[in-house]
Each structure stands twice: as C-alpha cells, then as structure tokens.
Amino acid sequence: MSEHGYMMAWSTYLGAAVVTLAVLWWLTWRWSAAVKLPLRALAIAFLLTPWPVARDTDALGPAWVVTLFDTLVQSDADPLRAGAPLLAAILLALAVAGVIHYLRRTR
C-alpha cells in the first residue's frame, strides 16, 4: 500500500473512531461516573491502540483488528501478538478511570 493510501486508511479509521467516541459520550452523559468512566476508558483503549500488522513491517493497524485477523485468518495464529498489548492498554485505561473516579469522589 502506498504511503498516501496508508494515511487515508488511518484518517478514515480515526474519523470513525472519533464519531463513535462522541456518540458514546453523548449516550452516557447522564450515567453515573462509576459506569461511564470505565466504559469510556475501555472504548478509547480498544479503538485507539495501534499495533504492527505483521512481524516484518512498520505499518500499524488497530490492535483489535490485528488480533481478530491473527486469530481468524492467519494459519500460524498468534492472537496474543497484538492481543496482549491491547489487554494491557485496556487494563491501564480502566485503572486510570478508577483513579479519576476516586479523586473526583474525594473532593
């Protein structure tokens, strides 16, 4: 894929991710912070964590797509190649959401 095509693909994906996150924000604005903060953190980590699409390339793709592709399509399936970093990003995002929620409650 050309550099221009690669950038167009990422621009399209990031635009869709921003719209998805905006809709999620709008849908959850009245929910309690204990529910909406972790849900929003989970969505951000899930949608915005990049990972190399193959072992021998510098091209990045969304980690959830790479994990899905590695699991379902590749003959030498290794879902943990991108799945483990994705899980780590999700856990970190949930921990940050928990800290933010705790700090807001103690004020």
Side-chain angles (χ1 to χ4, degrees):
M1 177 183 280
S2 70
E3 185 69 26
H4 177 70
Y6 180 69
M7 293 306 293
M8 285 298 295
W10 262 111
S11 297
T12 302
Y13 177 81
L14 290 175
V18 167
V19 169
T20 301
L21 291 172
V23 169
L24 178 68
W25 241 258
W26 179 75
L27 288 173
T28 62
W29 76 279
R30 286 192 169 194
W31 295 9
S32 74
V35 175
K36 71 181 171 186
L37 287 176
L39 182 63
R40 290 172 176 178
L42 175 71
I44 290 169
F46 184 79
L47 292 173
L48 300 181
T49 301
W51 199 255
V53 295
R55 295 183 202 285
D56 57 347
T57 185
D58 292 334
L60 298 175
W64 70 270
V65 173
V66 174
T67 301
L68 193 63
F69 184 80
D70 283 353
T71 302
L72 300 177
V73 177
Q74 295 290 3
S75 59
D76 58 342
D78 185 14
L80 291 180
R81 184 176 72 83
L86 178 60
L87 182 60
I90 288 171
L91 292 175
L92 177 63
L94 291 174
V96 169
V99 168
I100 291 171
H101 180 64
Y102 173 77
L103 292 175
R104 284 184 178 178
R105 288 187 56 150
T106 57
R107 283 195 281 156

